[in-house]
Amino acid sequence: MDELKLYNIAYKHLFNCIHFGLYPTGSSLPTVPELCQTFNVSSTTIHNALRLLQEDNYVSLSQGRSAIVTYDIKEEECRTEYMAYSYAAKDALLDLCNTMLLIWPEVMLQGLKLCGDDDLKKLTAIFKRMSPYSEYPFFEFFFQILKVLGNPLFLNLYLSTSLFGHSSIMHLGDKAYIYGYMTYLKRETEQILSLCKASDYGQLKDLLVRLYQKQIEAMRLYHESLPLPEDPVEPIPYEWNYFSERPLISFNLAMKLLRKIYSSFGNQEFLPS
């Protein structure tokens, strides 16, 4: 994706988080380095997204400090807006979760198998920052595992599907349930590190599957608790637009080259000029 697309993704996510109450009036957004890690982008991209938020009067910026939310929205309005979004997106989101259950445990397992000592040190450092009150370290933990694969396609898909669900769900549900759920996530994350260090990939795969099944259960419980809207709601579909700004011919050429690499080109052989 080009720089414009990336900064629009960061802008839209932060915009929604403010509207849905994840960052109330007067609170600080994550730091620029934290946002760079979350979105896997440069500081220039994040600064562009923050400047756009400032131009739209959602945050104030000052050098050397995190952006401060200036948009005034009441908690009840946040809940109303987020419940409306959740109700409109619930069918697509639950279907997406079930689809991701077929993909992510295996992909994450392959990433963990490739983790070296430095990668495990990074994952351990992220784990130490985890708490029941912040989703970002959990998101960053699995994002870091995917980085080990070196596949931008998986990174983009993980980012896209995660943002479609919006992490602010954690701030709008039952507080006791959320605390317990986040505590469970941290405990299971510690177990992931332990099994990875022991190279116990059989138990690790089972744990990853259970983790995603638990996430689907949490999503389903939240959406089943939503009241019926007073007015008809237009469903919000999930769309993965990774290739939307790339010429189709480039994608087709890449697929053709991949087929040749797998079928006829050997290791260290040159591709056509």
Side-chain angles (χ1 to χ4, degrees):
M1 294 186 298
D2 61 26
E3 196 76 358
L4 179 62
K5 176 86 170 176
L6 288 170
Y7 104 40
N8 279 336
I9 286 177
Y11 168 84
K12 184 177 180 181
H13 174 66
L14 293 171
F15 171 89
N16 283 329
C17 285
I18 292 170
H19 263 267
F20 296 150
L22 180 58
Y23 304 114
T25 307
S27 65
S28 300
L29 295 186
T31 65
V32 170
E34 287 171 339
L35 291 171
C36 289
Q37 287 183 329
T38 296
F39 292 97
N40 196 36
V41 296
S42 68
S43 59
T44 300
T45 300
I46 295 301
H47 282 300
N48 286 338
L50 293 175
R51 275 195 288 270
L52 189 55
L53 285 169
Q54 180 175 244
E55 290 171 10
D56 292 342
N57 298 314
Y58 287 101
V59 303
S60 66
L61 301 176
S62 58
Q63 192 167 4
R65 293 184 58 194
S66 298
I68 303 296
V69 176
T70 55
Y71 184 73
D72 185 20
I73 187 168
K74 304 297 184 290
E75 183 176 352
E76 192 55 38
E77 293 178 54
C78 293
R79 289 180 177 276
T80 300
E81 288 202 28
Y82 190 71
M83 284 192 294
Y85 170 85
S86 297
Y87 195 89
K90 69 173 184 176
D91 290 340
L93 181 58
L94 291 173
D95 184 58
L96 181 64
C97 285
N98 286 318
T99 302
M100 292 302 103
L101 181 60
L102 304 175
I103 298 173
W104 288 129
E106 187 62 44
V107 171
M108 293 294 177
L109 181 64
Q110 295 307 315
L112 288 165
K113 285 181 178 180
L114 294 173
C115 280
D117 290 341
D118 288 343
D119 300 309
L120 289 173
K121 286 179 183 177
K122 290 178 183 178
L123 291 173
T124 301
I126 296 170
F127 168 77
K128 290 179 179 178
R129 299 203 312 270
M130 290 179 178
S131 82
Y133 308 104
S134 175
E135 299 83 10
Y136 278 100
F138 293 92
F139 174 90
E140 187 184 345
F141 183 86
F142 292 101
F143 202 62
Q144 181 63 43
I145 294 171
L146 289 177
K147 286 182 182 179
V148 178
L149 290 173
N151 188 324
L153 201 63
F154 282 133
L155 289 174
N156 181 264
L157 181 60
Y158 182 69
L159 181 65
S160 175
T161 54
S162 297
L163 297 187
F164 183 71
H166 286 292
S167 56
S168 49
I169 186 174
M170 305 306 297
H171 287 253
L172 298 175
D174 179 81
K175 302 299 183 186
Y177 174 81
I178 290 166
Y179 184 92
Y181 176 66
M182 298 294 278
T183 302
Y184 160 82
L185 282 182
K186 181 168 185 178
R187 185 173 64 248
E188 295 298 282
T189 304
E190 184 176 26
Q191 186 69 1
I192 286 174
L193 286 171
S194 176
L195 291 172
C196 184
K197 291 173 182 177
S199 300
D200 190 343
Y201 299 121
Q203 286 199 58
L204 192 52
K205 173 68 178 293
D206 292 340
L207 190 156
L208 289 167
V209 170
R210 288 199 310 272
L211 201 58
Y212 279 96
Q213 288 173 334
K214 184 78 171 180
Q215 182 181 15
I216 294 171
E217 178 191 349
M219 288 287 185
R220 184 173 290 110
L221 285 172
Y222 170 75
H223 285 89
E224 287 176 353
S225 72
L226 293 174
L228 290 173
E230 295 179 2
D231 300 313
V233 173
E234 184 71 25
I236 299 175
Y238 170 71
E239 295 179 351
W240 186 30
N241 296 314
Y242 184 81
F243 294 112
S244 63
E245 296 184 5
R246 295 170 183 262
L248 188 58
I249 190 170
S250 298
F251 176 64
N252 289 337
L253 177 59
M255 293 300 99
K256 183 177 180 180
L257 288 171
L258 276 176
R259 283 194 295 271
K260 287 190 174 182
I261 289 169
Y262 282 118
S263 62
S264 57
F265 288 108
N267 188 28
Q268 302 299 318
E269 286 189 32
F270 290 104
L271 294 180
S273 64

